[in-house]
Amino acid sequence: MIRPRRRPSTDGVDGDGTALERARARANAGRLRSAMLGSAVAVVLYGAAGRWGGAARRGAEAEFVSDDAAAYAYGTATEEFSGMKLDAFARALSRVVIADVGAEMGEAPRTSGAAPRRRADGFVRVVATHHKTGTALMRDVLETISRNYSFFDVRAAEDRAERSSEEEDETSRSMFTNADIVFDYHFGKRLPKYLISDARERSLESIISTSNALDYRIVHVVRNPPDVIVSGAAYHRRAPLDENWLTPFADVLSNATPKVAISAEMSFSDDELRMLALAHVECAVDRKCLNVRLEELESNFDAVLARALLFLEFPSSKVRTMVRAASVHDMKQWSDDELRQNEHYTKKSDRSAYYRAISSDAMISETLMHLQKAMNYTVSER
């Protein structure tokens, strides 16, 4: 392991029989069914069933969401998922069956005659990604289409907050509170300190609960897990400037064999894979959230983006114009030189050796297979 991680103690939650039974009862009565899940995963799904979790949701659903369970829902530390290793987590999550398949399509958008919904009306739009699931693409798209809407990048502000003043942090909080569109490219990660200073509360709240919005829509951009790993390995091999935490490993990664590179990437991406898969499951049972596959966005940019924008309840009369403006980011229209020069695009390089490295490692290939199953990808999709 190049970047070993220390998992937090669950303080007995994993062995709490009462919580486990309540989790099973919740699953049987409502959204999720699990087969032979270990107690740790049952508690996670129990927390996730709380619709984006958080101390702010202790009202009508208080009997379903305890503080401990909520700590494993979306808005909290899904990246610090108990003491389970990733392969065990993936195997258990792959056994979850989505009871309401129709939820994958989300709610129908409002009629074209409806007035635009704004943050001032208590409505927030969230666009969520993870590492190598289209973050750079979606940021570019959102910056292009948000000309008439206030846009806020949660994690970019978090990076700035590490070297900012309290006054600048207050500005970031205000921008978050008033943004029509909120972008989170580490969806499910613990909230930034500039939003909530108290560590305990930060572990219990979510983007949704912290926004204090009366209503929301979320578009969650996902990607086939093996492609996430291969893309990450190829990207990190380049030692990109925006990944300065890689500096100690730059020399090793630049000369690493595909097998070593994939092993390293599995370590680097451990938390992101957990967040990606668990977020997908949670989104799939929330009619106000829509999972959008990056593969579909890349292959049919205009139609998939239009569907996402309509789901986010942008006025239908404006969506065509918004899609046309964003079409400059449709990579099918880019030249080979443009693709090669883009630091986030790695498909022009020969990545077959990375996929062979995955196949040659039984634990890695099995872990990714289970994550694929949890996210409704077939093993053959790559």
Side-chain angles (χ1 to χ4, degrees):
M1 298 281 281
I2 290 182
R3 192 186 180 198
R5 302 177 184 275
R6 182 173 65 85
R7 296 287 170 197
S9 166
T10 55
D11 296 324
V13 174
D14 289 351
D16 187 340
T18 300
L20 175 58
E21 289 304 316
R22 291 170 67 191
R24 287 173 175 162
R26 172 69 168 168
N28 291 335
R31 311 294 179 86
L32 300 174
R33 297 198 305 272
S34 59
M36 301 176 64
L37 292 183
S39 60
V41 174
V43 170
V44 168
L45 296 177
Y46 161 64
R51 293 282 66 78
W52 314 98
R57 300 197 60 84
R58 292 176 192 151
E61 293 187 336
E63 71 267 35
F64 297 127
V65 185
S66 71
D67 285 352
D68 287 328
Y72 298 101
Y74 255 118
T76 66
T78 58
E79 83 279 13
E80 295 177 353
F81 179 85
S82 72
M84 265 186 150
K85 291 184 177 180
L86 179 59
D87 59 325
F89 167 84
R91 186 179 303 108
L93 196 63
S94 72
R95 295 174 182 150
V96 174
V97 178
I98 304 301
D100 186 1
V101 178
E104 286 281 10
M105 296 301 294
E107 288 186 338
R110 300 195 313 162
T111 63
S112 58
R117 303 183 74 181
R118 298 283 189 170
R119 189 63 171 270
D121 305 320
F123 181 76
V124 64
R125 300 170 176 87
V126 175
V127 177
T129 64
H130 306 270
H131 185 57
K132 306 311 295 180
T133 71
T135 293
L137 171 62
M138 292 311 300
R139 184 193 293 114
D140 290 344
V141 167
L142 292 174
E143 288 178 345
T144 298
I145 68 172
S146 61
R147 190 169 304 168
N148 297 315
Y149 294 85
S150 53
F151 168 70
F152 183 70
D153 186 329
V154 170
R155 302 299 171 177
E158 182 179 30
D159 291 340
R160 292 194 300 271
E162 294 179 1
R163 51 189 180 277
S164 64
S165 65
E166 177 56 36
E167 183 178 352
E168 290 170 317
D169 287 351
E170 180 59 36
T171 299
S172 292
R173 284 191 292 272
S174 177
M175 292 177 67
F176 169 76
T177 301
N178 293 290
D180 293 313
I181 309 168
V182 172
F183 181 49
D184 186 351
Y185 58 76
H186 286 305
F187 194 48
K189 184 180 179 181
R190 192 183 301 273
L191 290 178
K193 290 181 181 179
Y194 71 83
L195 287 181
I196 301 178
S197 58
D198 183 81
R200 173 65 173 171
E201 288 300 305
R202 197 163 66 249
S203 290
L204 293 172
E205 297 292 347
S206 71
I207 287 291
I208 299 301
S209 65
T210 306
S211 72
N212 294 320
L214 300 175
D215 197 8
Y216 66 89
R217 294 294 182 274
I218 302 172
V219 163
H220 179 223
V221 184
V222 303
R223 190 180 188 182
N224 201 0
D227 292 338
V228 171
I229 293 299
V230 169
S231 180
Y235 178 61
H236 288 150
R237 185 184 182 90
R238 300 175 177 178
L241 295 177
D242 62 348
E243 301 271 7
N244 55 17
W245 61 269
L246 276 173
T247 302
F249 315 115
D251 290 342
V252 174
L253 292 176
S254 64
N255 298 299
T257 65
K259 187 175 182 64
V260 170
I262 289 296
S263 179
E265 192 60 34
M266 287 295 292
S267 178
F268 296 151
S269 299
D270 183 295
D271 293 344
E272 288 286 339
L273 288 173
R274 295 167 193 261
M275 291 187 285
L276 170 63
L278 190 57
H280 183 280
V281 170
E282 172 70 351
C283 183
V285 294
D286 183 354
R287 289 190 176 276
K288 296 182 179 182
C289 181
L290 180 69
N291 282 315
V292 172
R293 291 186 173 187
L294 179 63
E295 297 87 351
E296 295 177 355
L297 182 60
E298 289 180 337
S299 64
N300 195 1
F301 185 87
D302 287 3
V304 174
L305 180 59
R307 176 180 169 225
L309 295 178
L310 287 170
F311 181 79
L312 290 170
E313 298 203 3
F314 287 104
S316 58
S317 60
K318 303 293 185 182
V319 164
R320 181 177 297 181
T321 301
M322 297 168 81
V323 170
R324 188 182 303 117
S327 65
V328 295
H329 306 299
D330 181 358
M331 289 180 290
K332 294 197 306 298
Q333 300 182 22
W334 293 9
S335 68
D336 286 347
D337 284 343
E338 288 174 317
L339 291 173
R340 276 191 290 268
Q341 291 171 17
N342 186 292
E343 66 174 351
H344 295 282
Y345 190 84
T346 64
K347 289 184 179 179
K348 280 296 179 182
S349 59
D350 183 4
R351 306 188 302 175
S352 58
Y354 291 121
Y355 288 106
R356 288 195 297 272
I358 289 176
S359 299
S360 68
D361 189 303
M363 178 172 289
I364 291 177
S365 60
E366 184 177 355
T367 297
L368 294 175
M369 177 191 71
H370 287 304
L371 290 173
Q372 285 181 300
K373 184 177 179 182
M375 296 174 62
N376 297 325
Y377 280 96
T378 62
V379 177
S380 61
E381 288 181 272
R382 187 172 61 84

